[in-house]
Amino acid sequence: MFTLAEVASLNDIQPTYRILKPWWDVFMDYLAVVMLMVAIFAGTMQLTKDQVVCLPVLQSTVNSKVQPDTAGKADFTTVETTTGQEEASMGTVSFGSAPTVTPEILLSRATSSQYQPTESDQELKKEKKDSSGRKTNLDFQQYVFINQMCYHLALPWYSKYFPYLVLIHTIILIVSSNFWFKYPKTCSKIEHFVSILGKCFESPWTTKALSETACEDSEENKQRLTGAQSLPKYVSTSSDEGSPSASTPMITKSGFKFSADKPMIEIPSVTILDKKDGEQAKALFEKVRKFRAHVEDSDLIYKLYVGQTVIKTVKFIFILCYTANFVNTISFEHICNPKVEHLIGYTQFECTHNMAYMLKKLLISYISLICVYGFICLYTLFWLFRIPLKEYSFEKVREESSFSDIPDVKNDFAFLLHMVDQYDQLYSKRFGVFLSEVSENKLRGISLNHEWTYEKLRQHVSRNAQDKQELHLFMLSGVPDAVFDLTDLDVLKLELIPEAKITAKISQMTNLQELHLYHCPAKVEQTAFSFLRDHLRCLHVKFTDVAEIPAWVYLLKTLRELYLIGNLNSENNKMIGLESLRELRHLKILHVKSNLTKIPPNITDVAPHLTKLVIHNDGTRLVVLNSLKKMTNVAELELQNCELERIPHAIFSLSNLQELDLKSNSIRTIEEIISFQHLKRLTCLKLWHNKIVSIPSSITHIKNLESLYLSNNKLETLPAAVFSLQKLRCLDVSYNSIAVIPVEIGLLQNLQHFHITGNKVDVLPKQLFKCVKLRTLSLGQNCITSIPDKVGQLLQLTYLELKGNCLDRLPATLGQCQLLRKSGLVVEDHLFDTLPSEVKEVLNQDTGIPFANGI
């Protein structure tokens, strides 16, 4: 047997789920508990008190045989199952014959006639007279038998099973009411939602954000009232955000907007948000974001709740229909025809049901409860379909707070919030704070400024190769405010900061001229943009998608160097926004590291003033180069890793070209080099890291060439034509297959840097040492067996590489190279030890002459 508490436990839900229980669900739960009590009470009464008492209906033939002395008395005997054994001990009744007179009865009658009746005898006789009735021919066991037979045959089934039906129906209603809390696919979402909602409600950040909003509103109202009285009549008091005055120049042709944030109002902090609370709030933002993405995809919770409400409504109609018909069937008296005359001797019995009146009252009470329950179910259905519960708007919250970006939600997320509103609307209002990006950015800003103080940022400032003060910030949630207090900073690097915002305080950084934005689509305020437009000289932008390039980049009129690093395939060329480069009127250097298949034609917008163009591809073949012809003022051109097989003809139109770098391509022949004779200003030609096998004699036509880089190719010989370039100062033929250095090398009297490392040279011609202006001589990784003593003629030599050869000693004349020191001598240690001690002392001297190799 189970108790009421055990059954009521089916209706229990976790206390935290109560926020998802509107008043009708709570009311129905209480009704279910009352119905459970009705079922338990009726069942207990039925098990302990329920019984049927039956008496036979005597026929007229039987009544005629009754003796005259008993004709005027009631002829029935009441037999109850609880006292039957006591009555059975009073005498024995035979079935189907006249009553038998026993000796004990005769003796009692004779005795009573001899003695005068006493007072006690008179009372006993009176008692017998009062308890006498119409006699039957049934014994106790027969009464018990017929009572049980008639209980099952005469009573309607509803009277017997009423408690169990009520119990089953109530359990079904309870299960239907709470099924969405138990079903695995919805239970996990609900549990997660309730957990997040509770943490959001209790978070200190929620209180701080809403309190600051209230303070901002009151402060703005105060300023609006006082400002309207103090401002002159000709000053507009419009409260529209970002509306410029007539004297403020606004850029309207750029197609984008600056972040027109409201001026910061210094408001005293209402609550102090420590680091732990800040971290918890940031974790809540992430949880809310992921939960929203997970729950908004489906409407299973909504459908399940509607389904269980429909089931309860159908159940209510079903119970009401069949229960109402059984109200009149419950009666106190019943006629029973058990058809056991061969055992009892009677065909009809009249029975009474002692629980009839109680059951009828309980049934009427149950029907009343079911009716109330059903009307609530109908109201629930009306609420479910009255408004679209799969959409939830935070419009009121947006109006009451400064977080106007709180998005509307849909599907199960919206339905859960509607349910919470039936409990307390304050929950959804506080929850909306964690759906706002503005709120999240404020939190990040507070946490960021607490962590990155001025002292900590000062520790991260370093000196770069150009001896400039540089600060590199990596993977932060934003730009700390203290950054703008570093007024002596020259270079600022922001990397992987998705919410970077440059405020007006950047105008304090008067030394800032170089800015790096690596995967950082920074937003700038209008005042900050004005400062950058007038002061910024160099900008590096690294991106994955073109959309990451800030639109204000193309409006920096004083910008001189622009570096764009990212994916720009042929399909996205039109999206790069290079048409805006026409605003970059002072741009001198444009560096594009990407995967271009053609040079964007809009680069010609900056052709009149562009002096250096660098295109570094990732191995994508650069096909279309016609737009280069219009860039007549370009002095330096680099086309690296562009899979070029020949020197592009468009280059020969660049009359002002001074330096050409075609590194890391697939050039095999350079027969077109004769066309370089039209490039009178060409002084540096870099054809390194290609597949060139020979140098044509037409190279002599490039008379002004000063630097020639042919390293990492497939050259086997150096033609004499190379050494006719009298102005050549740097020659790099490292890492080829050259075996002989021609004696004509002595003709290069202006040669200062000669690199032939990584070849097959075994003998150094004496003419090499006639190049007395040599400062750098790289002879490493060859097959050289000896170094001539004439090396001492190279008085300006500062760098000599001999490592990786077949030398057994070094010439003592190295001591005559006045500028050569041990730091500039690259050789094995055992060879250095072969030098005389006085030479080693000379080489070990520190003269402070900087090392330079010319590359």
Side-chain angles (χ1 to χ4, degrees):
M1 187 62 187
F2 45 82
T3 63
L4 177 62
E6 293 173 340
V7 177
S9 65
L10 296 173
N11 200 31
D12 286 345
I13 57 173
Q14 297 183 15
T16 53
Y17 285 179
R18 292 177 181 174
I19 59 177
L20 294 176
K21 300 284 284 186
W23 68 266
W24 52 82
D25 279 351
V26 175
F27 197 15
M28 285 191 287
D29 287 343
Y30 282 115
L31 289 176
V33 172
V34 175
M35 287 188 283
L36 269 180
M37 296 175 65
V38 170
I40 299 299
F41 177 73
T44 304
M45 294 292 292
Q46 188 177 44
L47 292 175
T48 58
K49 302 293 183 179
D50 193 25
Q51 61 183 0
V52 173
V53 177
C54 299
L55 289 177
V57 177
L58 301 179
Q59 301 297 329
S60 57
T61 55
V62 177
N63 294 337
S64 60
K65 297 179 181 180
V66 178
Q67 298 298 328
D69 59 338
T70 61
K73 298 179 183 179
D75 191 14
F76 62 91
T77 305
T78 301
V79 180
E80 296 185 7
T81 56
T82 56
T83 58
Q85 293 180 358
E86 296 177 0
E87 295 180 4
S89 61
M90 294 174 61
T92 300
V93 181
S94 61
F95 173 70
S97 60
T100 304
V101 180
T102 59
E104 289 82 3
I105 297 175
L106 295 175
L107 182 61
S108 63
R109 289 179 179 177
T111 308
S112 60
S113 59
Q114 295 176 2
Y115 298 97
Q116 189 68 24
T118 62
E119 184 177 350
S120 60
D121 292 338
Q122 291 180 358
E123 292 179 357
L124 180 61
K125 186 178 297 185
K126 182 178 180 181
E127 182 179 354
K128 286 185 178 181
K129 181 178 180 181
D130 293 340
S131 62
S132 62
R134 174 174 272 178
K135 294 184 178 181
T136 62
N137 298 323
L138 300 178
D139 60 11
F140 173 75
Q141 294 297 331
Q142 291 172 325
Y143 275 110
V144 172
F145 173 76
I146 199 62
N147 288 345
Q148 294 179 353
M149 284 288 295
C150 290
Y151 181 85
H152 293 286
L153 294 178
L155 288 184
W157 67 271
Y158 194 78
S159 298
K160 294 179 287 185
Y161 302 110
F162 166 74
Y164 308 105
L165 291 175
V166 173
L167 179 62
I168 293 173
H169 292 325
T170 306
I171 292 176
I172 293 175
L173 293 176
I174 291 174
V175 172
S176 300
S177 295
N178 300 296
F179 184 71
W180 67 318
F181 292 129
K182 307 294 183 181
Y183 186 57
K185 290 185 177 181
T186 58
C187 175
S188 58
K189 294 180 181 179
I190 295 173
E191 183 177 356
H192 197 186
F193 172 76
V194 172
S195 174
I196 294 176
L197 188 64
K199 292 178 181 178
C200 293
F201 188 84
E202 298 174 357
S203 174
W205 171 246
T206 311
T207 304
K208 181 177 178 63
L210 294 177
S211 300
E212 288 185 351
T213 298
C215 289
E216 287 179 4
D217 293 341
S218 60
E219 187 70 19
E220 289 178 1
N221 292 335
K222 183 178 179 181
Q223 289 186 357
R224 188 179 296 111
L225 293 174
T226 57
Q229 298 174 0
S230 61
L231 287 177
K233 294 182 179 180
Y234 58 83
V235 177
S236 174
T237 59
S238 174
S239 62
D240 295 339
E241 296 182 8
S243 57
S245 63
S247 61
T248 304
M250 293 294 293
I251 300 172
T252 58
K253 299 180 180 180
S254 59
F256 71 95
K257 298 179 180 179
F258 295 101
S259 58
D261 292 345
K262 295 185 291 186
M264 295 300 296
I265 301 173
E266 294 296 333
I267 301 173
S269 179
V270 179
T271 57
I272 299 177
L273 193 69
D274 58 18
K275 184 176 180 180
K276 181 179 179 181
D277 293 336
E279 293 299 325
Q280 291 177 349
K282 287 193 289 185
L284 276 178
F285 274 106
E286 186 64 23
K287 287 183 179 180
V288 170
R289 188 181 299 108
K290 291 182 178 180
F291 178 77
R292 179 188 174 191
H294 176 61
V295 175
E296 276 193 320
D297 292 339
S298 66
D299 56 352
L300 178 61
I301 298 177
Y302 172 76
K303 290 181 178 178
L304 189 61
Y305 188 83
V306 172
Q308 69 182 30
T309 305
V310 171
I311 290 175
K312 290 189 293 184
T313 305
V314 173
K315 188 72 175 175
F316 145 70
I317 297 174
F318 171 73
I319 294 174
L320 190 62
C321 290
Y322 89 87
T323 305
N325 296 329
F326 291 104
V327 175
N328 297 326
T329 61
I330 299 178
S331 176
F332 178 75
E333 297 181 358
H334 299 277
I335 301 298
C336 178
N337 297 304
K339 297 183 180 180
V340 288
E341 187 177 357
H342 62 287
L343 297 176
I344 305 299
Y346 296 95
T347 59
Q348 190 176 45
F349 294 84
E350 185 170 348
C351 305
T352 60
H353 185 203
N354 65 335
M355 286 290 296
Y357 295 115
M358 181 60 70
L359 287 178
K360 195 165 187 176
K361 292 179 181 178
L362 291 176
L363 179 57
I364 294 173
S365 301
Y366 177 66
I367 292 176
S368 302
L369 294 173
I370 282 293
C371 289
V372 177
Y373 194 96
F375 288 134
I376 297 177
C377 289
L378 293 175
Y379 173 81
T380 305
L381 289 176
F382 168 75
W383 180 80
L384 287 172
F385 296 107
R386 180 175 59 91
I387 57 175
L389 297 181
K390 292 196 291 184
E391 298 176 1
Y392 189 90
S393 174
F394 285 95
E395 183 176 358
K396 292 184 179 180
V397 182
R398 291 193 290 263
E399 292 176 354
E400 296 174 0
S401 67
S402 61
F403 306 125
S404 59
D405 66 322
I406 300 178
D408 295 337
V409 295
K410 58 183 180 179
N411 289 336
D412 282 343
F413 200 5
F415 176 68
L416 290 174
L417 289 174
H418 279 293
M419 296 294 285
V420 170
D421 280 350
Q422 299 300 317
Y423 183 82
D424 190 348
Q425 293 184 355
L426 184 60
Y427 276 90
S428 59
K429 180 178 180 180
R430 297 176 72 93
F431 187 74
V433 173
F434 288 88
L435 291 172
S436 169
E437 291 186 5
V438 174
S439 173
E440 186 174 7
N441 292 337
K442 282 186 177 181
L443 174 64
R444 289 176 178 175
I446 293 175
S447 301
L448 188 68
N449 292 328
H450 285 174
E451 180 180 1
W452 290 88
T453 60
Y454 177 84
E455 292 76 14
K456 184 175 181 179
L457 289 171
R458 176 58 67 181
Q459 295 175 359
H460 284 75
V461 176
S462 60
R463 291 276 180 180
N464 60 11
Q466 290 78 29
D467 197 32
K468 294 182 178 180
Q469 292 196 48
E470 177 182 298
L471 175 63
H472 187 188
L473 299 179
F474 178 72
M475 289 188 69
L476 299 182
S477 59
V479 181
D481 292 340
V483 169
F484 307 114
D485 296 329
L486 302 172
T487 56
D488 55 345
L489 200 64
D490 299 311
V491 181
L492 177 60
K493 292 184 178 181
L494 305 177
E495 184 173 359
L496 292 173
I497 304 179
E499 299 296 334
K501 184 176 180 181
I502 301 176
T503 64
K505 292 180 65 178
I506 198 174
S507 57
Q508 302 174 175
M509 307 174 69
T510 54
N511 291 339
L512 184 66
Q513 294 187 352
E514 184 175 344
L515 179 63
H516 295 246
L517 301 175
Y518 293 162
H519 303 286
C520 180
K523 299 178 181 179
V524 296
E525 295 181 358
Q526 187 171 0
T527 307
F529 168 74
S530 300
F531 172 80
L532 293 175
R533 181 185 57 193
D534 298 334
H535 291 80
L536 198 62
R537 297 293 181 266
C538 180
L539 177 63
H540 295 248
V541 182
K542 189 174 183 180
F543 54 90
T544 302
D545 187 77
V546 183
E548 294 181 19
I549 303 177
W552 52 267
V553 166
Y554 305 106
L555 300 175
L556 301 174
K557 295 181 179 180
T558 60
L559 192 67
R560 295 181 180 178
E561 300 180 26
L562 177 60
Y563 296 81
L564 299 176
I565 307 172
N567 295 324
L568 296 171
N569 55 41
S570 58
E571 296 178 357
N572 291 337
N573 277 341
K574 296 181 181 180
M575 299 175 60
I576 192 174
L578 290 180
E579 61 274 10
S580 299
L581 288 179
R582 63 174 59 94
E583 299 290 338
L584 306 179
R585 299 170 185 173
H586 293 85
L587 188 66
K588 300 295 182 182
I589 300 175
L590 177 59
H591 187 292
V592 180
K593 187 175 182 180
S594 183
N595 55 346
L596 297 174
T597 57
K598 64 179 181 180
I599 296 179
N602 291 324
I603 286 183
T604 57
D605 293 337
V606 293
H609 43 82
L610 195 66
T611 60
K612 183 177 181 180
L613 175 62
V614 180
I615 296 179
H616 285 193
N617 260 11
D618 60 354
T620 304
R621 186 174 182 180
L622 190 61
V623 180
V624 182
L625 297 168
N626 294 332
S627 57
L628 285 176
K629 296 180 180 180
K630 299 180 181 180
M631 310 187 70
T632 55
N633 291 326
V634 170
E636 298 181 32
L637 177 62
E638 293 184 19
L639 302 176
Q640 296 188 15
N641 203 16
C642 297
E643 288 296 316
L644 300 175
E645 296 180 355
R646 304 180 72 90
I647 299 176
H649 291 279
I651 295 176
F652 306 138
S653 302
L654 305 178
S655 57
N656 291 315
L657 191 63
Q658 298 178 14
E659 180 178 332
L660 176 62
D661 189 351
L662 300 177
K663 181 181 179 181
S664 300
N665 284 283
S666 301
I667 300 175
R668 298 177 181 275
T669 177
I670 54 175
E671 295 297 334
E672 300 88 354
I673 203 171
I674 190 173
S675 299
F676 284 145
Q677 61 183 334
H678 304 295
L679 306 180
K680 303 298 182 180
R681 299 185 179 183
L682 186 63
T683 59
C684 180
L685 180 59
K686 298 180 179 180
L687 300 173
W688 46 358
H689 296 271
N690 280 280
K691 301 177 181 179
I692 302 172
V693 295
S694 63
I695 302 174
S697 59
S698 57
I699 196 172
T700 58
H701 294 91
I702 316 176
K703 297 182 181 295
N704 294 321
L705 197 62
E706 296 179 1
S707 301
L708 178 60
Y709 295 85
L710 292 167
S711 63
N712 295 90
N713 278 283
K714 298 182 179 181
L715 299 175
E716 296 181 356
T717 59
L718 287 176
V722 175
F723 306 106
S724 65
L725 303 173
Q726 295 298 322
K727 294 184 179 181
L728 200 63
R729 294 189 301 173
C730 179
L731 177 61
D732 185 1
V733 289
S734 302
Y735 300 102
N736 282 279
S737 301
I738 300 171
V740 178
I741 299 177
V743 295
E744 290 83 358
I745 194 172
L747 301 175
L748 301 178
Q749 292 299 311
N750 292 316
L751 190 64
Q752 297 181 9
H753 309 280
F754 180 51
H755 306 275
I756 196 169
T757 302
N759 282 275
K760 301 178 181 179
V761 177
D762 55 358
V763 177
L764 296 178
K766 296 179 181 180
Q767 290 78 4
L768 173 63
F769 304 103
K770 292 182 180 180
C771 303
V772 293
K773 293 184 179 180
L774 274 175
R775 301 180 61 190
T776 303
L777 181 58
S778 300
L779 302 171
Q781 301 180 32
N782 280 280
C783 302
I784 301 172
T785 56
S786 64
I787 304 296
D789 293 338
K790 290 188 177 182
V791 71
Q793 299 177 3
L794 305 179
L795 301 180
Q796 298 185 18
L797 191 66
T798 59
Y799 180 83
L800 177 61
E801 180 185 355
L802 298 173
K803 194 173 185 178
N805 284 282
C806 302
L807 301 173
D808 55 359
R809 67 179 184 87
L810 294 178
T813 55
L814 285 177
Q816 300 175 9
C817 301
Q818 300 176 0
L819 302 180
L820 184 63
R821 294 294 177 264
K822 184 178 180 181
S823 59
L825 179 60
V826 182
V827 68
E828 289 83 354
D829 292 339
H830 70 276
L831 291 177
F832 183 79
D833 294 336
T834 61
L835 292 172
S837 58
E838 60 273 11
V839 176
K840 290 192 286 186
E841 290 178 1
V842 173
L843 294 176
N844 285 326
Q845 292 179 1
D846 186 9
T847 60
I849 298 177
F851 162 73
N853 61 3
I855 299 182

